[in-house]
Amino acid sequence: MSVQLPPLPPVGGETTGPNVVDLITREHRELLALCAELTGEGKDTARRRTLAQVISAELSRHLSAEEQYLYPAVRSTVPDGYALVDREIAEDRALLEALRLLEAADDENRPARADDVCRRLTRHSEAADADLLPMLLQMAPVEDLIRLGNRVELAEEAAPTRPHPGTPATPPWNKVVDPAVAVIDKMRDLVSRRTTYPRDL
């Protein structure tokens, strides 16, 4: 069964690159590693603050792209996809709220907020790796999965870098609102010199 993707300008190499399952799985591993570092021992306060910023930015981008492309593909391709996606969107909203609280936390409350974010991220990752991604891999042609991976990568670059639990979570509105919100986020990041990528740690 083919995955329905909206028409987009050609990005070159539509059938080259990582498939969406490999891409999302890799991102989950990287986010969990950042969480392990954040909640581990021996980090000073400034390092923990920077790690929290990077996790917040990476996870905000990740969830935005999943909601724009992965979840609609699951809905249209996987049996009972609607129920699975509705559950994931509800969990994503709670995860974004936990991220918002982590960003706002002072140094004293940051460890408890970080533990909550990492617990929710672990659940998000396990649910996707056990349910959504294997079923999508079974049901969709590899060419569609690669095209979907390309769309997710593009969406992440245009996604918000801060948690916005109140923004729309489904197309078409999230594809309009998220890039607009991202412009403001990136301006704030630039002015505040906020670290948003692991490579800048």
Side-chain angles (χ1 to χ4, degrees):
M1 182 182 298
S2 180
V3 176
Q4 297 300 311
L5 293 177
L8 282 180
V11 293
E14 274 289 299
T15 55
T16 62
N19 74 52
V20 70
V21 173
D22 292 341
L23 177 66
I24 297 292
T25 302
R26 186 191 77 228
E27 289 180 358
H28 286 163
R29 278 196 313 268
E30 291 168 355
L31 284 161
L32 289 168
L34 286 169
C35 262
E37 186 176 352
L38 176 63
T39 57
E41 298 294 324
K43 303 288 180 298
D44 62 34
T45 302
R47 176 69 176 180
R48 287 189 193 281
R49 190 178 306 121
T50 303
L51 278 166
Q53 291 173 350
V54 169
I55 289 168
S56 182
E58 283 284 288
L59 194 46
S60 294
R61 285 189 287 261
H62 173 83
L63 294 175
S64 173
E66 281 188 341
E67 289 173 356
Q68 288 182 50
Y69 288 101
L70 177 66
Y71 294 165
V74 169
R75 272 194 169 122
S76 68
T77 309
V78 172
D80 295 325
Y82 276 87
L84 290 170
V85 168
D86 287 347
R87 181 193 71 202
E88 289 307 306
I89 287 176
E91 294 286 342
D92 288 358
R93 298 291 103 180
L95 180 49
L96 286 168
E97 179 60 23
L99 275 177
R100 189 188 67 74
L101 293 172
L102 174 62
E103 287 243 357
D106 56 24
D107 292 338
E108 183 181 337
N109 292 319
R110 189 169 295 112
R113 298 294 187 200
D115 286 342
D116 185 41
V117 166
C118 293
R119 180 180 54 79
R120 291 177 186 278
L121 172 60
T122 299
R123 197 229 57 85
H124 168 86
S125 174
E126 287 173 351
D129 295 349
D131 294 333
L132 298 182
L133 298 177
M135 284 192 273
L136 188 61
L137 190 59
Q138 256 186 341
M139 302 295 295
V142 69
E143 295 82 8
D144 287 350
L145 295 175
I146 291 170
R147 288 174 52 235
L148 199 54
N150 291 335
R151 296 296 194 270
V152 166
E153 286 182 318
L154 286 173
E156 285 177 342
E157 286 308 310
T161 59
R162 295 170 188 257
H164 299 281
T167 57
T170 56
W173 293 111
N174 62 350
K175 292 183 180 184
V176 174
V177 173
D178 280 8
V181 170
V183 171
I184 297 166
D185 283 355
K186 289 173 183 179
M187 287 173 60
R188 290 177 64 198
D189 295 342
L190 189 61
V191 168
S192 65
R193 297 177 181 226
R194 181 172 176 259
T195 306
T196 61
Y197 286 99
R199 66 177 176 256
D200 297 325
L201 284 170

